[in-house]
Every structure is written in C-alpha cells, then in structure tokens.
Amino acid sequence: MPRFKRHLITSALPYANGPIHIGHLAGVYIPSDIYTRYLRLKGKDVIHVCGSDEHGVPITLKARQEGVSPQVIVDRYHELNKKAFEDFGISFDIYSRTTSKVHYETASEFFRTLYDKGVFIEKTTEQFYDEEAGQFLADRYITGTCPHCGYEKAYGDQCEQCGTSLSPTELINPRSTISGSKPVLRKTKHWYLPLDRYEPFLRKWILEDHKEWKTNVYGQCKSWLDQGLQPRAVSRDLDWGVPVPVEGAEGKVLYVWFDAPIGYISATRELTPDWEKYWKDPSTRLIHFIGKDNIVFHCIIFPTMLKTEGSYILPDNVPANEFLNLEGDKISTSRNWAVWLHEYLEDFPGQQDVLRYVLTANMPETKDNDFTWRDFQARNNNELVAILGNFVNRALVLTRKYFDGAVPPRGEISTYDREVLEQIPLIRRRTEHSLDHFRFREALKEAMALARLGNKYLADTEPWALVKNDKERVGTILNICLQITSNLTLLLEPFLPFSMQKLREMVHFEKTDWNLIGRDDLLPEGHQIGEVKHLFRKIEDEEIEKQIARLQATRTENEGNNTIKLPPQKEEEITYDDFAKLDIRTATIVAAEKVPKTKKLLKLTLDTGIDRRTVVSGIAEFFSPEEIVGKQIAVLVNLAPRKIRGIESQGMILMAEDPDGRLHFIVPEDGAVNGSPVK
RNA sequence: GGCGAGGUAGCUCAGCUGGUUAGAGCGCAGGAUUCAUAAUCCUGAGGUCGAGGGUUCAAGUCCCUCCCUCGCUACCA
C-alpha cells in the first residue's frame, strides 16, 4: 500500500530581477519537471507549483537604478521568465507570483497565525534611518568604507571588494544611498522567529527521520544545526513587500525569506480550491526542488514555519542540486556570463530538448559541474542524433521501405528476439529506480539504453540482408523495432517531451501511460505509421564556434569593464594642508604572522624609523608572512589606532589595488631610510 | 579558523554495510557493416582510485595527518 496518495512538487521561486539561464534549469527546473512528468505518466495525483519571487531589497534597488517602480521590474521578469519556462516545457500547473492578491492574503494569514500563537519574539534594535528620506535603511541601502579592507563602496551587508559580510554599524563613514545623507541610528521593533527553540525538533526530524536525503543536503543541515540556530527577523522596515498585519507595524513588511516560501502555498491556493488537501493531509508527499543556496530555507526555516503553524505537512524530501558552471567559470548574471534561455532559442530554435538532454546528462547532482559548448555539441551529435535519432529513423524508414509503413506481422520469435524484448521491462525498472531516487543523470542513461538496444538488435539481425530471401523474418524484426520505438516514446517522455511528442505523431501512437512500458504489443499488426522526419539534427562546428566566440566577447568586455570600474577621481578637491595632515613614511616589515582564525589578516611589525609598531592588514590572501618580511613599504603612521580582531592596529599599509582586487605594495624603488616622509 | 560537500580512466560520472583481474557513457585506436543524419555494431588501449601514514588475512571503500575545488559560517566555538 503506497504511503502517499498524492504529490505536491515545488520548484524554487526564481527571483524576479533577472532572466533565467541554464544554471537555473539544470539545478532546479529540469529535475522537477522530469520528476513531475514521470509521476503524471504513472497516473499519480500530482501538482507542480512555482512562481516569481518578487519582493526583497535587490528589486527595489534595481528599480531605483532604472528610475521606475519595483512593480515595473517584477512585471518585466515575471513575464519573461514565465515564457522561458513554457518554451522549455517546464510543466508547472501554475506559475504564480508573490505580488498576487492571494499571496498577500496567504502570507498575512500565516504571519497572523504564528503571531497569535505567540511564536515570535519581539526585539527592539537600533537601525540606520535616513532622516532626509524619512525611512529606515536596508543594509543594502547603506554604503561606507569597509573596516577590513578600506574599500569605500562597501554595502551594509557585505563588502564586494574583500567579500566580508558586514553589519551596517561596522561601516566607517556610512552613507544612505537614497539621499546621500549620513544616516542616524534609530530604534525599531521587529519580530523574530526563534529557530533555536525548535532545534531539538529539527534534529530529530532531519538527522534521524530523513537520513535518506541527499548527502549534500543532509550534511548542510547538520552543519547548520551543529552551529546552533539563531532567532531570525521576519520583518523589515521597507515599503516593498507584504505589510506586517499587526497594529503599530506601519512601514514594516515581511522579510522576503518569510514570504517567499509561502508563495508555494499561495500558488496552490490560486490553482485549486482543494489546496488544503495538498498542504495539510499527511498522505500528501511534499517535495521541494531547489539549488544548494536554498537548503537552509527549505530544510530548516520553512519547515519550522510550517511546524509552528501547526496544520501543515512538512517536506518529505528536498532534492537540492549543486551549481552549474559555464566554460569553467561561475555563471554570473551581472557579468553576463550565462546562456540565457531566450537567447538559446534564437540560435537553436525548436531544440529545447537538446538543452534539456545535455543539462540532464550533466546535471550537478553531487558536485558543481561544467557546461561547455563542445560537450553540448558532442552529446547532441553522438548521442541524440547517432543513438536515439538514428535508431528511430532506421526502424521507421525500413518499415516504410519494406512494408509501406504498416506494422508487419510478427512471425516466429527467436530466442534472441525474446531476450531483446525481455530487456524492455528491465530497462524500465532501472530507469524507475533512478528516478525514484532523484538520480536523473543515471535515469537518462538507463533510458537511452533502450535506443542502444535497438541499434544493436538491428545490427545483429541485419534485416536489409534478409529482405530478399525471408521477408517474413524481416517483418518480425521490424515489428520488434517498432515496439521498441513506441516504448521509447513513453520512457523518454519525461526527459525529451518535445521530441517524444514528435515521435508519437510519426508513429501514430498517442498513448502516454508509463505503465505500458515493457509491453511488446503497443503497435498492433497493420497499424499505419506516418511521415518520417529526423528527430534531431547535427550541430555543426560553426554553430558552436559562434557560441564560444560570443562568450569570449563577454569575457573581453568584462575585462574592459574592469578598467572602467577603476574609481574615478574624487570630486572633492583638497588643499595641500589637507594632504600634509597625512604622515606617510617608509618602513620595513620586520615580522609578519597570520592573525589566528582569520583568512585575510596579517599582523605586521614595522620598523618605521621612528618606532616599532604593529599594523594589522588584510593582505593574507595575497602574501604569505615569509615572503614579505624584510620588505620596505609605505605606511600611514598618524592614522587613529583601531582594534581589529583584538589587536590594536597602529597605522595603515599603503597598497595599490588592481581592478580585479589584487594588491601591490608601494615600495620605495631603490630603498630609503626607514621613516623618510612621503610627500 | 570552524563546518559541510567533492577530489576514481583524456572528459562526465557509478562504485551499497571493506573481499576475486576498479566499472559505465563519451572521446581515442583497430576491425565489421551499409538499412540509417559517415550514423551503427564488435574489439582494444587508457586509472599506483588527491598525497602520506595506519587498522586488517584483505581498503577506492574504515581511522589519522596534509593538499586542492566549491559552499556555508566566523572579532565567538
């Protein structure tokens, strides 16, 4: 007796501030789509929900940059991405969005329920407030100088130069990006989800009850749990989002991480009046397909929300994939290092399945993987065209040639014939087993084995050699080939929906029932097949070279951008007196050691000519202590001391910084007496 | 620094609780074949399983140390 009566599949809500690329597809949407199609073919009760995640600060920032409202941004990407998914056959039952009315209601209710149950804790903290703009500032809206590396355009949550995560109060000389004014600290109240209280529950639920989760997911969860969970703010001072539905919470919205996963519920609600059956009946199997960046939200935070709400079921599995790289480099939206779905279709119209196939065969299931255009070409030409397309073509062309396109009768079955036919249910079983365990790469390979089997069968039986003397035997052989072909339409449907639709039309076989796979009588004797076309076409070198050239151009452009990215001359003019305030001297590094438990910091002892002093410097990623001892450098000696990692740093080493972040010492070329003023 | 996931043939990956000559697909070499989009089929070459120790009759598989990649996290562990 099956434990579950129905399935609810969710795919991570893509963030509506950029288009969809192959990384999204390989990581989340292709696996979820394959799985959903598989369940549907099996006749299961299954729905697959998704939608745009449309709240959060990055969207408001982008809107501000473009001088439009956030709604304009999310409308644009919602439509674009919705279409991209449709184009690639990602078969959502609904693709909704978190700005929908239903979602506002659902998210509000959800918050309200937890609020009324007393789940949240309230905390008042001090946050930066822009008095000119009259609003609290999200971390991203504050820039200032990074206390670690001195980068002047660090954000309140992170310094993009040195990668350190920051809190806004750490910034030196903070500024509001809205008005440019200096923000002030002001008290504000927020609600927190005390995750720490649910740690015992989570430990048992994940670490004991879900040992079957993928190792990367399980390990990541364990890591989080072992590090100890912290209460997490569920609200923010912002005007873009779902308003906190509580008295006295004006100007506050739900934090995007809180409202986004509720989007799954809203989407279901929008889809069907039966939504509660899918979310609240324990006989529903809930599965979240996500990328690895989302593990903590879907395994720790959202389940805690669902659990505390009380009436919801929890996910049974969270098959998260790793990341896909492109030609050796990380995919990056801002650096335009990606293959965008809409662009792919312009260059390879009608070839969605090729991309689906390659991304499945190369899916980053256990570790980050690399997509290369050469591999794309090879897989298309050597596998789709040569193995699958070719077998189908051979079977159908021979049938038309020898039997005018009518399925010939099956005569005497040889032992070998029987062995071949018996392979079909075995292949089905292996494919199922892989799919049931979310091993899509393996499943695809197993399914393709059927096409391989077909090719081998033809090569072994050689109907073209027999046709002159034993046409009846040829009929039997082709009958079997056609049974294999019709089985293929079912077996490969989850992976290659467009091509299998095409193939079904070619053989005039319209059934889509997974349970038929393995039978040897799908096409009855005399059944007429249709026009034969090629399922796939060869991809030529020039097409691939064009794609590689395009990426190369992006690479060059990015390098060019870096020089443009050099900071422009500062606007403020200073006087000589201003400059004279800086006491810069030559000095020699006499000792250097790594600051323990840091990645970037070196503790340097300098002979400045005037004294010996300690300076902490964030250069450990580029220089080892050994190689810099004895080096003469320039140092700002009258900088106010500052404690870094408990060590008092008395000055600042002067470094030149490349656009790509590399550091270079400023060295007196032919040596100078230590302590010589630099002027 | 801590934690997690990876490091297996040229490439992409399997190898469950340790057990005969370490597997698959692609690529490569040779052969067969011509129905088919020069596609297919057969055969073969290719790996000191990241490095070094250890446990064991026996280790890719367990333990220790180290190195590399990716991710999470950190003036805390």
Side-chain angles (χ1 to χ4, degrees):
Chain A
M1 193 183 75
R3 187 169 145 217
F4 296 109
K5 288 189 187 142
R6 66 191 75 78
H7 285 75
L8 173 58
I9 313 289
T10 74
S11 289
L13 307 185
Y15 202 53
N17 74 337
I20 302 289
H21 54 62
I22 54 172
H24 296 116
L25 223 47
V28 179
Y29 306 102
I30 287 183
S32 66
D33 186 59
I34 292 172
Y35 197 71
T36 306
R37 284 175 182 271
Y38 165 61
L39 293 177
R40 284 201 199 106
L41 280 177
K42 285 183 102 171
K44 303 280 184 192
D45 179 353
V46 51
I47 57 176
H48 184 189
V49 302
C50 191
S52 296
D53 175 8
E54 306 189 314
H55 293 133
V57 173
I59 282 168
T60 63
L61 271 180
K62 194 173 180 93
R64 187 172 290 277
Q65 275 164 19
E66 294 189 18
V68 297
S69 74
Q71 191 65 48
V72 173
I73 301 287
V74 299
D75 284 350
R76 180 198 305 160
Y77 289 112
H78 177 73
E79 289 310 320
L80 186 70
N81 294 341
K82 187 173 186 213
K83 178 162 186 311
F85 285 131
E86 278 168 17
D87 286 344
F88 277 84
I90 308 300
S91 58
F92 302 129
D93 290 287
I94 182 169
Y95 188 74
S96 185
R97 54 196 306 187
T98 59
T99 51
S100 76
K101 187 160 170 284
V102 174
H103 178 67
Y104 271 64
E105 287 166 11
T106 310
S108 298
E109 278 169 26
F110 202 105
F111 179 94
R112 190 71 213 195
T113 305
L114 298 199
Y115 181 85
D116 290 342
K117 284 187 159 190
V119 167
F120 299 129
I121 47 180
E122 286 181 19
K123 265 201 243 179
T124 300
T125 57
E126 291 204 316
Q127 293 208 345
F128 278 121
Y129 184 83
D130 183 330
E131 291 178 312
E132 268 179 49
Q135 59 174 274
F136 280 98
L137 295 168
D139 296 351
R140 275 268 145 175
Y141 276 130
I142 303 164
T143 61
T145 304
C146 172
H148 299 186
C149 70
Y151 181 59
E152 289 173 3
K153 288 177 187 162
Y155 291 112
D157 56 347
Q158 194 189 32
C159 170
E160 297 206 325
Q161 190 82 268
C162 64
T164 323
S165 38
L166 301 169
S167 100
T169 48
E170 288 180 89
L171 289 176
I172 302 161
N173 192 20
R175 295 261 156 217
S176 161
T177 57
I178 296 176
S179 66
S181 67
K182 190 179 164 66
V184 296
L185 284 171
R186 197 181 263 201
K187 285 200 162 86
T188 178
K189 184 169 80 176
H190 283 289
W191 292 270
Y192 289 72
L193 182 63
L195 291 170
D196 45 321
R197 288 187 198 163
Y198 303 98
E199 207 175 301
F201 153 72
L202 289 166
R203 292 195 89 88
K204 177 176 186 309
W205 177 62
I206 299 173
L207 302 182
E208 289 176 33
D209 299 346
H210 284 291
K211 289 186 195 289
E212 80 282 7
W213 286 4
K214 288 174 64 172
T215 47
N216 57 339
V217 177
Y218 187 90
Q220 188 65 237
C221 290
K222 189 168 185 313
S223 177
W224 274 85
L225 289 168
D226 288 347
Q227 282 176 41
L229 300 172
Q230 301 293 324
R232 220 183 147 96
V234 300
S235 55
R236 301 229 79 189
D237 294 296
L238 203 69
D239 56 5
W240 180 245
V242 179
V244 174
V246 173
E247 292 282 309
E250 289 72 31
K252 296 181 196 300
V253 298
L254 300 183
Y255 213 143
V256 62
W257 66 258
F258 186 86
D259 99 73
I262 296 174
Y264 298 137
I265 302 172
S266 318
T268 315
R269 208 168 167 177
E270 212 175 307
L271 175 69
T272 165
D274 274 344
W275 68 275
E276 283 179 295
K277 194 173 74 181
Y278 288 93
W279 278 99
K280 300 188 172 180
D281 182 340
S283 63
T284 298
R285 183 171 186 225
L286 173 61
I287 301 172
H288 295 307
F289 282 87
I290 56 169
K292 68 173 163 185
D293 52 333
N294 257 322
I295 290 175
V296 63
F297 293 107
H298 289 77
C299 298
I300 308 259
I301 298 175
F302 190 44
T304 303
M305 290 163 59
L306 294 170
K307 174 78 179 168
T308 52
E309 203 279 349
S311 64
Y312 285 85
I313 55 168
L314 301 181
D316 182 60
N317 209 325
V318 185
N321 274 338
E322 302 284 302
F323 287 152
L324 187 71
N325 293 327
L326 170 60
E327 301 283 355
D329 281 330
K330 249 181 246 187
I331 293 179
S332 159
T333 300
S334 59
R335 284 174 30 245
N336 192 27
W337 191 255
V339 177
W340 307 104
L341 298 197
H342 56 282
E343 288 186 3
Y344 172 87
L345 275 188
E346 284 169 20
D347 291 337
F348 299 97
Q351 297 188 76
Q352 293 92 328
D353 277 351
V354 178
L355 190 61
R356 285 180 65 118
Y357 181 87
V358 174
L359 293 179
T360 306
N362 214 9
M363 197 173 274
E365 287 177 340
T366 50
K367 62 174 182 189
D368 290 0
N369 257 349
D370 200 24
F371 175 93
T372 68
W373 281 109
R374 290 286 170 206
D375 180 63
F376 171 85
Q377 180 189 26
R379 287 202 186 269
N380 177 75
N381 292 355
N382 304 331
E383 297 177 33
L384 285 178
V385 175
I387 308 285
L388 176 58
N390 186 39
F391 166 68
V392 168
N393 191 242
R394 296 168 88 185
L396 300 188
V397 166
L398 287 174
T399 303
R400 286 185 74 93
K401 206 175 201 170
Y402 299 151
F403 297 95
D404 291 324
V407 176
R410 192 183 308 164
E412 194 79 12
I413 293 279
S414 73
T415 314
Y416 181 56
D417 293 345
R418 184 166 303 112
E419 281 169 12
V420 167
L421 288 172
E422 282 168 356
Q423 283 295 311
I424 305 176
L426 292 181
I427 289 170
R428 165 181 166 176
R429 218 165 301 149
R430 282 197 288 267
T431 308
E432 282 179 342
H433 187 259
S434 300
L435 285 174
D436 288 338
H437 291 85
F438 306 110
R439 295 200 287 254
F440 299 101
R441 274 190 314 223
E442 190 179 83
L444 180 59
K445 201 196 281 183
E446 298 293 359
M448 283 294 284
L450 185 54
R452 290 176 202 285
L453 178 71
N455 276 319
K456 181 167 164 50
Y457 180 67
L458 274 176
D460 289 344
T461 54
E462 298 186 306
W464 50 88
L466 296 174
V467 71
K468 289 178 210 110
N469 308 321
D470 191 354
K471 194 157 179 195
E472 195 190 319
R473 174 64 191 150
V474 172
T476 304
I477 293 166
L478 289 181
N479 182 297
I480 289 172
C481 286
L482 291 169
Q483 305 308 335
I484 293 176
T485 304
S486 47
N487 270 286
L488 276 173
T489 65
L490 299 168
L491 193 66
L492 287 173
E493 159 70 19
F495 307 92
L496 307 171
F498 296 94
S499 309
M500 291 309 107
Q501 173 61 31
K502 225 162 122 184
L503 182 54
R504 282 198 297 271
E505 285 164 15
M506 277 194 256
V507 293
H508 293 157
F509 177 73
E510 284 301 330
K511 290 185 184 141
T512 50
D513 179 356
W514 184 270
N515 300 307
L516 295 176
I517 301 172
R519 291 177 57 158
D520 58 11
D521 59 351
L522 294 180
L523 295 179
E525 177 186 333
H527 172 95
Q528 192 70 34
I529 63 167
E531 198 78 17
V532 181
K533 286 176 255 169
H534 288 159
L535 276 183
F536 305 99
R537 69 163 183 85
K538 235 183 147 172
I539 291 174
E540 303 298 333
D541 289 346
E542 301 82 69
E543 299 176 75
I544 293 306
E545 279 152 17
K546 185 179 152 196
Q547 297 301 329
I548 293 173
R550 175 189 284 187
L551 286 174
Q552 190 54 49
T554 301
R555 212 168 234 156
T556 314
E557 194 179 317
N558 283 339
E559 277 161 16
N561 280 350
N562 279 341
T563 51
I564 296 164
K565 264 190 201 155
L566 284 172
Q569 182 181 328
K570 295 217 165 86
E571 284 181 20
E572 197 185 351
E573 274 191 359
I574 62 167
T575 63
Y576 178 77
D577 287 345
D578 289 331
F579 171 72
K581 284 181 191 162
L582 304 177
D583 190 352
I584 302 170
R585 309 261 186 148
T586 56
T588 298
I589 300 172
V590 293
E593 58 178 295
K594 232 178 148 195
V595 179
K597 299 179 182 182
T598 67
K599 206 186 285 180
K600 301 188 177 78
L601 299 184
L602 287 187
K603 177 183 167 189
L604 309 176
T605 306
L606 302 181
D607 178 355
T608 64
I610 44 179
D611 57 12
R612 281 197 170 215
R613 60 172 74 197
T614 301
V615 169
V616 179
S617 186
I619 58 174
E621 284 184 308
F622 300 98
F623 303 99
S624 66
E626 305 80 60
E627 68 178 303
I628 61 168
V629 169
K631 216 171 179 50
Q632 203 173 35
I633 46 97
V635 57
L636 177 62
V637 293
N638 64 336
L639 182 70
R642 183 183 162 81
K643 265 202 173 180
I644 300 174
R645 282 282 182 169
I647 303 165
E648 186 166 275
S649 180
Q650 304 154 311
M652 188 167 105
I653 306 274
L654 301 191
M655 307 290 290
E657 182 170 36
D658 277 348
D660 60 7
R662 267 186 317 182
L663 298 172
H664 309 269
F665 285 105
I666 306 298
V667 188
E669 190 182 27
D670 48 359
V673 175
N674 280 339
S676 306
V678 177
K679 34 168 87 172

